[in-house]
Amino acid sequence: MSPFTMDSNLHQQLMTADQISNLLAKDRQYVWHPFTQMKDYEQRDHVLIQRAEGIFLYDAWGRKYYDTVSSWWCNVHGHGHPRIKEAIHKQLHAFDHIMFSGLTHAPGITLAERLVQLAPEGLHKVFYSDNGSTAVEVALKMSFQYWQQVGNTTKTKFIYLEGSYHGDTLGAVSVGGVEQYHALFKPLLFHGYKMPAPDLRAAGGHTLADEAIVAEQALAPVRELLQLEAEQIAGIIVEPMLMGAGGMIMTPAHYLTELRKLCSAHQIHLIADEVATGFGRTGTMFACEHAGISPDILCLSKGLTAGVMPLAATLCSDTIYAAFYDDYMTQKTFFHGHSFTGNPVACAVALASLEVFEEEAVLERIQLTIRALETALHGSGLAALPYVANIRQLGLVAAFDLYEDAQRKMPFPPEKRIGAAIYEAGFEEGLILRPLGDTIYYWLPHCATPEDVSDIVSRTLRVLNKVLG
Ligand SMILES: *Cc1c(COP(=O)(O)O)cnc(C)c1O
């Protein structure tokens, strides 16, 4: 049963047309939106959202949209889940934000315990921050400082993958591999080693052997680098199984299992950035589970609070923690923290979300949705479209690429901005689709039903038809 009440117009007081246009004029006057060329909105308006429930967002005109990207990959149980709302109320009633240094609180403590229980084996300590980028900054600094403190002072560099995305702060950008976002900032960044990504689109087929070939091709230069330079390298950071912002690149489990072995053999930290993949999105609680491996450091955010409050956590092994644990005067403190570290309301929400995972058997329930997605992708005629290629799926995430000629993999000229046209046309079909370039994807919330999925895919076909004929 869906925990959501049926769509009631009770709490939707529509704005007047004047109120809406006033707000949108002020949006243009005062607001600078993220990842947005604001000039694109010179003549056009942002969609003004007034209400959200379950998988749907409603704009100020009362129009309804499927949130097919889970509000930037964050939302988990649907918008306005009653258990989440209740947790916020309860925690606010007790106390709001407090400092998390020298003070502590039950939601932060209990959440840390739950995360340690749920996370891949061996991750026993939880360091909180407030967004995915900071979770990554914490991981990088932790790894760096660890090697300094155990006397391996030459281990100062990080390996990262082509097409990887770990956030927009400068440390995270230094290990980022998306040229479009990252190239300009090169002069500000620290140097690392960029390695190829095991992009499954390059596989000859869908067998484990095909996947292993792709994995081994990407591993070869890593093996070579580690043979020569392991003494310079602190860690390698990866987005396990699914590289999101780089273009929904899906990668083989074999890559992770082999990387785990390499990291252990060469004394390199394996840092898993599960900011996007964590909390069931790929069908398992954490993407690392597909490969049965444990990283040395794990970064979590986005879905941690069911996508409702900003919160992040960086988990690490006892070995790492132990290198910082000493008498104060030895100067081994981890001097890092954020004003909103371990925000109690956010921690309470995260705990409630984990309870919902259990109460609603979410990980079991989503298997049906995942199968429905597979059926819809392959049974809807999508694959037959002459401009569609590389249909791929992992759990609740699916993607495909648009080409002018899919068979010859000939891209559309970038000035056509096909992705942007799809985004616009999506609104008319009641979809929030937010392509990455010409890659169209779904990043579905766990509350999506099999019926939602087939409806979303049919609507997408109409959008594609409208834009591309
Ligand atoms: C979104 C994302 C981040 C950054 O998280 P923010 O909360 O946006 O700073 C880091 N890593 C991955 C894999 C992400 O998808």
Side-chain angles (χ1 to χ4, degrees), residues 104-120:
T104 193
H105 49 70
I109 298 165
T110 316
L111 177 62
E113 180 186 33
R114 288 295 291 133
L115 289 175
V116 166
Q117 288 164 351
L118 284 170

Side-chain angles (χ1 to χ4, degrees), residues 59-114:
D59 73 10
W61 304 96
R63 284 179 301 221
K64 174 174 163 180
Y65 308 94
Y66 278 105
D67 186 3
T68 78
V69 297
S70 294
S71 292
W72 252 357
W73 320 351
C74 294
N75 193 269
V76 171
H77 305 303
H79 296 278
H81 193 290
R83 295 278 283 109
I84 302 287
K85 288 204 264 197
E86 183 197 320
I88 294 175
H89 283 288
K90 252 172 123 173
Q91 182 53 41
L92 276 177
H93 192 71
F95 61 95
D96 46 32
H97 183 66
I98 62 156
M99 170 171 75
F100 203 60
S101 184
L103 303 177
T104 193
H105 49 70
I109 298 165
T110 316
L111 177 62
E113 180 186 33
R114 288 295 291 133

Side-chain angles (χ1 to χ4, degrees), residues 135-146:
V136 167
E137 299 287 340
V138 167
L140 299 174
K141 286 176 72 178
M142 212 178 243
S143 171
F144 178 92
Q145 189 172 337
Y146 169 86

Side-chain angles (χ1 to χ4, degrees), residues 73 131-134 136 165-168 239 244-245 273 275-276 301-302:
W73 320 351
N131 65 74
S133 306
T134 57
V136 167
Y165 177 84
H166 300 290
D168 290 330
E239 294 162 83
D273 176 355
V275 166
S301 187
K302 291 191 168 119

Side-chain angles (χ1 to χ4, degrees), residues 33-52:
H33 288 271
F35 273 98
T36 302
Q37 171 48 264
M38 293 303 291
K39 190 162 187 287
D40 280 357
Y41 290 85
E42 203 172 300
Q43 305 296 337
R44 237 182 323 135
D45 290 324
H46 273 87
V47 175
L48 179 62
I49 298 300
Q50 201 185 0
R51 194 166 73 83

